[in-house]
Amino acid sequence: TPPVPGRPALFPSLPSLPVLLSAVCAALFALITWQVLDGGPLLTPDQELSRALVRAVPDAVTERLADLGNVEVAVPVLVAAMAYAVRRGHRLAALAAGLAMALVPALIVPLKEWTARPGPLEPWAAGYYPSGHTATALTAYTAAALLLTPHTRRRWPLPTAAALTALTAAGLLLRGFHWPLDVLASLLMCTPLLLGVRWAVSYGRPGRQRRGIRWGKRARGSGSTRSRSGGARVR
């Protein structure tokens, strides 16, 4: 009964920002996948943009950039960050990062076989949607940055991960390895996975758990004081 601080129980709390962002990413990913399967109108500007970008930069440069999304390049970075996180006692965060990376091929491979989209320079081939290199780069570099950020004084890991992912995507598009929608779909698909890693990193901080325990003790103490004072008034 009033007076009670906080939101009334009759009004449920709104979804948090990560949940809303994940829902938006899932909806956009479903829209793009539907367009790819049915040959929808989104494919026309997608193909025109690809034709304007391909060969704009020498292949020797774009291939090097695209190689940043290779498994043998990106995954060892994540493995090193996971080992460091485990050493610092953040096993939950390391586990979440490894699970996110493992889900990438589990999602990408069936989607490639299902959609069977041909490539910009290889119309006779299939299996270009979504981009596996983009998904690998985004997940590996960003998850590694999330694991390292709590232990660095400066916020350089996340901007570095964003730059590496952007360079990978640029190399794929300029070289003609993928359509723009292939890259965008991978970004949308992996964002909810990385939001889960971010939650695990923030939840698994030892300092945060200790602060929560101390706060609980103070809250119980203050509550008992209020009840005693309230009881004195009633008597």
Side-chain angles (χ1 to χ4, degrees):
T1 57
V4 178
R7 185 186 303 272
L10 294 177
F11 300 97
S13 59
L14 296 175
S16 61
L17 180 60
V19 175
L20 290 176
L21 182 57
S22 298
V24 171
C25 290
L28 292 176
F29 179 80
L31 173 63
I32 296 174
T33 304
W34 167 57
Q35 292 288 291
V36 170
L37 289 172
D38 289 354
L42 285 181
L43 298 188
T44 299
D46 184 46
Q47 295 169 358
E48 293 176 352
L49 179 59
S50 179
R51 295 190 188 99
L53 293 176
V54 172
R55 310 297 189 185
V57 178
D59 292 347
V61 176
T62 55
E63 286 186 4
R64 297 293 183 183
L65 296 178
D67 288 343
L68 293 172
N70 288 345
V71 172
E72 57 269 21
V73 176
V75 172
V77 176
L78 176 59
V79 171
M82 291 171 59
Y84 180 76
V86 170
R87 183 179 179 183
R88 297 298 298 265
H90 294 175
R91 295 179 178 84
L92 176 62
L95 178 62
L99 178 60
M101 192 69 249
L103 287 174
V104 168
L107 295 171
I108 290 289
V109 174
L111 284 168
K112 284 180 176 290
E113 296 180 355
W114 181 37
T115 56
R117 189 184 191 190
L121 300 180
E122 296 181 349
W124 59 87
Y128 282 80
Y129 177 90
S131 169
H133 279 67
T134 303
T136 300
L138 175 64
T139 304
Y141 295 135
T142 306
L146 290 172
L147 294 177
L148 296 177
T149 296
H151 309 290
T152 56
R153 294 183 179 180
R154 298 181 180 180
R155 301 298 182 181
W156 60 266
L158 284 175
T160 302
L164 291 173
T165 304
L167 291 174
T168 303
L172 295 170
L173 295 176
L174 295 172
R175 182 62 178 83
F177 287 144
H178 279 286
W179 305 99
L181 285 181
D182 300 345
V183 173
L184 178 59
S186 293
L187 298 177
L188 294 172
M189 185 192 72
C190 295
T191 296
L193 301 179
L194 294 170
L195 289 174
V197 176
R198 181 179 178 272
W199 172 86
V201 170
S202 61
Y203 180 82
R205 290 182 187 176
R208 178 176 179 176
Q209 293 177 352
R210 288 194 297 268
R211 288 194 297 270
I213 294 173
R214 290 197 298 268
W215 181 86
K217 289 181 178 179
R218 288 198 300 269
R220 287 193 296 269
S222 59
S224 61
T225 302
R226 287 195 299 269
S227 63
R228 287 195 298 270
S229 61
R233 286 201 228 34
V234 171
R235 288 195 296 270

